[in-house]
Amino acid sequence: MAIVILLIIFGINHNFFDLGGHSPIALQLFAQIERIWKKHILFSVLLESPTIATLADTLRQPRSTTWSPLVLLKAGRNKPPLFCIHPMGGNLFDYYNLVTKLDLERPIYGLQAQGLDREKQPLDRIEDMASNFIRSIQTIQPHGPYFLVGYSFGGAIAFEIARQLTARGQKVAWLGLVDIRSPTLKQVKLPFLQGLSVHANRLQQFRLQQQIDYFIDIVFYRKKMEYRDELITKLSNLDMLKPELLAILDCNLQARKDYQPQVYSGQATLFWSNYQSQYIDLHPQLGWDELILGGIETCHLPGDHSSLMKEPHVQVLAQKLQCCIDRAANNSELSLSLN
């Protein structure tokens, strides 16, 4: 049904993401593809074939027997690639809008969770995820300087990748952490007046519907759901949520809970949204200063945790992220020339 509706409303060459497509819709689309055509295709296929026409071509082809966590999000040349690490859901959809706004000459790869192919079990330790991703990264870039970025849960994995690479003597030119608190940062309750000021500042940044939802949360103390439960409630039919995604979500939640990070000797850039306001007041670097010894640059982003990766806020993130990468690349080239 979802495919028929898309065909009626939009043409076969309209881009899924440009039309506002997101993870829950993609889940429903892929569930119906599997039910009708009896084909299991990976979510990364939608990043490579985002129109009905290109997706149809993919469905006609025999399934590849090889699978890799590495997905080419944007081709480029002459520059070290940027590696983007998946958030809690395990897929790379959240990066689509960001990638389209970055340097055309720098290739960009995404790293998706093990287990999406239904062949291997998902990993439940961040240390193992990082080691696995390093093996994939080094198939196309054996040596540094490396450029890494992780959004949300992906930030913890990106941090661990950078730490392991540095421990192996490899150079990490740039590490970006997008809207994630340090795993060691404990939740705190602000004093009443300070909390009131934080809420007022947040409300000014939100649109009307976001303000209403936020106000209801404050007044009625509506309990926030875990990502796993929130994702399920967004689907109109629970049968459309694939079992491998539930397994990945559970493993990622366990990995986040169990992670005991070690210190990292390098530097990082921390991007934070209004969602983090209550923590920023007490911890300007969201606790990362306890783990990142080389220094942290902080960048404030408009919007909340999810909207910062969407229009129009993603443009600000892309602009700031590009400036940081360019500066790090210049510093890295200067360092190599001096040596």
Side-chain angles (χ1 to χ4, degrees):
M1 181 61 71
I3 298 172
V4 174
I5 292 173
L6 286 172
L7 281 169
I8 293 172
I9 300 177
F10 307 111
I12 62 172
N13 294 312
H14 280 94
N15 187 295
F16 173 83
F17 298 98
D18 292 344
L19 295 170
H22 48 73
S23 295
I25 294 176
L27 288 173
Q28 295 184 47
L29 176 64
F30 276 55
Q32 291 197 38
I33 287 174
E34 186 163 351
R35 180 173 58 82
I36 296 169
W37 280 282
K38 311 300 182 187
K39 274 195 170 187
H40 169 59
I41 57 176
L42 299 172
F43 294 108
S44 57
V45 168
L46 196 54
L47 294 166
E48 300 162 347
S49 308
T51 68
I52 292 175
T54 54
L55 189 57
D57 288 339
T58 301
L59 285 170
R60 294 189 190 102
Q61 298 169 7
R63 180 184 171 185
S64 172
T65 55
T66 60
W67 182 87
S68 169
L70 205 60
V71 178
L72 179 63
L73 300 179
K74 183 178 71 62
R77 59 186 186 278
N78 302 328
K79 292 184 178 182
L82 171 66
F83 295 98
C84 305
I85 318 302
H86 70 80
M88 184 64 72
N91 61 63
L92 300 165
F93 292 154
D94 288 315
Y95 286 105
Y96 182 85
N97 289 323
L98 176 65
V99 164
T100 59
K101 294 170 176 58
L102 295 178
D103 183 0
L104 294 176
E105 294 188 357
R106 187 177 300 278
I108 302 178
Y109 288 86
L111 287 149
Q112 58 187 340
Q114 178 172 299
L116 287 173
D117 62 342
R118 296 183 179 176
E119 299 297 327
K120 295 182 178 179
Q121 290 296 316
L123 301 173
D124 60 2
R125 295 182 71 249
I126 286 178
E127 295 88 345
D128 295 339
M129 296 175 191
S131 297
N132 187 42
F133 285 162
I134 288 173
R135 285 193 291 272
S136 295
I137 287 170
Q138 292 187 324
T139 61
I140 59 170
Q141 188 186 355
H143 306 287
Y146 294 102
F147 293 80
L148 308 164
V149 64
Y151 164 56
S152 190
F153 174 69
I157 307 174
F159 167 82
E160 180 61 25
I161 291 173
R163 193 199 65 76
Q164 290 189 21
L165 283 170
T166 303
R168 299 178 190 185
Q170 295 290 340
K171 179 176 177 55
V172 175
W174 184 74
L175 169 64
L177 307 174
V178 182
D179 218 40
I180 176 173
R181 299 186 292 275
S182 161
T184 59
L185 184 64
K186 305 300 181 184
Q187 272 193 310
V188 293
K189 187 173 182 179
L190 295 178
F192 176 76
L193 289 179
Q194 192 176 358
L196 196 63
S197 174
V198 168
H199 293 316
N201 289 334
R202 277 201 198 177
L203 285 169
Q204 290 178 6
Q205 302 290 332
F206 295 157
R207 296 176 182 176
L208 178 60
Q209 186 57 54
Q210 290 175 308
Q211 289 176 336
I212 294 171
D213 291 342
Y214 190 77
F215 182 76
I216 291 173
D217 285 341
I218 295 171
V219 174
F220 297 102
Y221 299 96
R222 188 167 65 190
K223 186 178 180 181
K224 297 290 185 183
M225 291 183 290
E226 282 282 7
Y227 180 87
R228 181 185 194 273
D229 300 323
E230 185 179 352
L231 182 61
I232 291 175
T233 59
K234 287 181 180 178
L235 298 176
S236 58
N237 186 339
L238 296 187
D239 292 337
M240 293 179 178
L241 187 57
K242 296 187 175 186
E244 65 268 23
L245 280 187
L246 284 175
I248 288 170
L249 282 169
D250 288 338
C251 284
N252 287 344
L253 288 167
Q254 189 64 45
R256 182 178 66 180
K257 178 182 177 183
D258 295 342
Y259 185 41
Q260 298 293 324
Q262 300 179 44
V263 295
Y264 168 55
S265 60
Q267 301 174 330
T269 303
L270 173 64
F271 302 88
W272 61 274
S273 73
N274 296 315
Y275 174 79
Q276 307 290 358
S277 297
Q278 62 177 314
Y279 298 97
I280 285 292
D281 284 357
L282 296 178
H283 304 279
Q285 295 171 329
L286 296 180
W288 287 106
D289 50 313
E290 298 177 0
L291 296 172
I292 298 173
L293 305 183
I296 302 171
E297 176 186 13
T298 58
C299 296
H300 175 224
L301 301 172
D304 59 21
H305 186 67
S306 60
S307 68
L308 66 87
M309 297 294 279
K310 301 171 185 174
E311 296 288 1
H313 297 147
V314 70
Q315 296 185 40
V316 179
L317 171 59
Q319 217 171 31
K320 293 186 176 184
L321 191 146
Q322 188 66 65
C323 288
C324 293
I325 292 176
D326 290 343
R327 186 170 66 247
N330 291 335
N331 291 340
S332 180
E333 289 172 6
L334 178 62
S335 175
L336 287 173
S337 65
L338 291 175
N339 294 331

